[in-house]
Amino acid sequence: MDLTSIFIQAFYPLLASYWWLFLLLIILSLLKTPIMKGRVGEFQVNVLAKLFLDKQIYTLFKNVTLPTEDGTTQIDHVIVSRFGVFVIETKNMKGWIFGSPQQEFWTQKIYRYTSKFQNPLRQNYKHTKTLESALGIGADKLFPLVVFIGDSDFKTPMPEHVVYAGGYIRFIKSKHQPILSDSEVREICHKIKTRRLKPSIKTHLDHVNHVKAIVEQKQQPAPNACPRCGKPMVLRTARKGNHQGGQFWGCSGYPQCRTVRSA
């Protein structure tokens, strides 16, 4: 009898009795993946929109992927109304959040675990500019908004145009002055429908691969980078010592980093 048969005979009664528990564990594991967490957050934003925004006034578009000069950009939600076009970026996160509008990356801290993520305001800026170009409307007609879903807590002042889930609907309804005509709203909706890439698994995967390629490219060390800290090496001239007057490469992070190499 081989090991597989022994394993099946030993654990089959347990699997037969508690199959539902194993299935539940698998589902819970999937829900913790970044993709599923993102989908859950987007689902909550969709539900809030359907519950509290009149569909006769507001038109919701989900997962809008638009072509750009360097690939694609994917917008979580676009809400079109006479009061403007709302460009929504969703973040389903927990823990403490640290970040300001000027920083390239924000920080998430969960107990002793710390990680960095791209400033979502910058992400949404690209979304907004892409929509502005695709729809042919002014920037004053577009309202970007980042919505944090989940048990997160900002430990730095929450930037403008960043809200928790509870402030998402309030932000949209705070815009009550019509700035688009009914015909303009219909035209914008038509442009989104016709210019977005077809929603599909392939479209999503192509966009994910495009984003991964950009991230990998940014993570590549810069030419002539310091092998210790990654900052650029600069050509320097020795002012004293046995090599006075000679040139060498020194880290631009000096004096924090004192790495040198021969020129």
Side-chain angles (χ1 to χ4, degrees), residues 3-21:
L3 291 177
T4 303
S5 300
I6 295 173
F7 179 84
I8 292 175
Q9 288 185 6
F11 290 96
Y12 179 77
L14 184 64
L15 292 171
S17 300
Y18 297 99
W19 62 268
W20 56 270
L21 181 58

Side-chain angles (χ1 to χ4, degrees), residues 46-185:
N46 293 337
V47 170
L48 288 172
K50 291 178 180 179
L51 288 176
F52 298 106
L53 295 178
D54 188 343
K55 65 181 180 180
Q56 300 299 323
I57 300 174
Y58 301 92
T59 302
L60 171 66
F61 294 93
K62 300 173 288 185
N63 294 323
V64 178
T65 304
L66 295 171
T68 62
E69 292 182 358
D70 59 349
T72 57
T73 190
Q74 191 173 78
I75 309 171
D76 292 338
H77 319 273
V78 180
I79 299 175
V80 184
S81 73
R82 291 183 296 118
F83 311 111
V85 179
F86 300 89
V87 188
I88 314 296
E89 171 71 17
T90 306
K91 290 295 179 186
N92 185 4
M93 308 185 77
K94 63 180 180 179
W96 291 351
I97 306 296
F98 303 82
S100 69
Q102 295 77 26
Q103 292 176 304
E104 182 178 0
F105 294 97
W106 288 5
T107 301
Q108 177 191 33
K109 187 173 181 62
I110 305 174
Y111 300 108
R112 295 184 179 180
Y113 173 77
T114 300
S115 63
K116 300 284 187 180
F117 61 99
Q118 186 179 356
N119 181 342
L121 289 173
R122 293 192 175 191
Q123 282 182 283
N124 220 21
Y125 176 78
K126 181 178 181 180
H127 298 163
T128 303
K129 298 305 290 185
T130 301
L131 268 180
E132 182 182 339
S133 175
L135 303 178
I137 61 176
D140 58 325
K141 305 293 194 301
L142 293 155
F143 299 105
L145 187 66
V146 177
V147 182
F148 272 80
I149 300 289
D151 187 20
S152 60
D153 183 18
F154 267 79
K155 290 301 180 181
T156 49
M158 182 173 277
E160 187 179 6
H161 298 294
V162 179
V163 298
Y164 295 120
Y168 152 57
I169 299 298
R170 287 197 299 272
F171 176 88
I172 292 176
K173 289 190 173 181
S174 71
K175 309 299 180 183
H176 43 72
Q177 180 67 38
I179 56 177
L180 294 168
S181 66
D182 290 335
S183 61
E184 287 176 319
V185 168

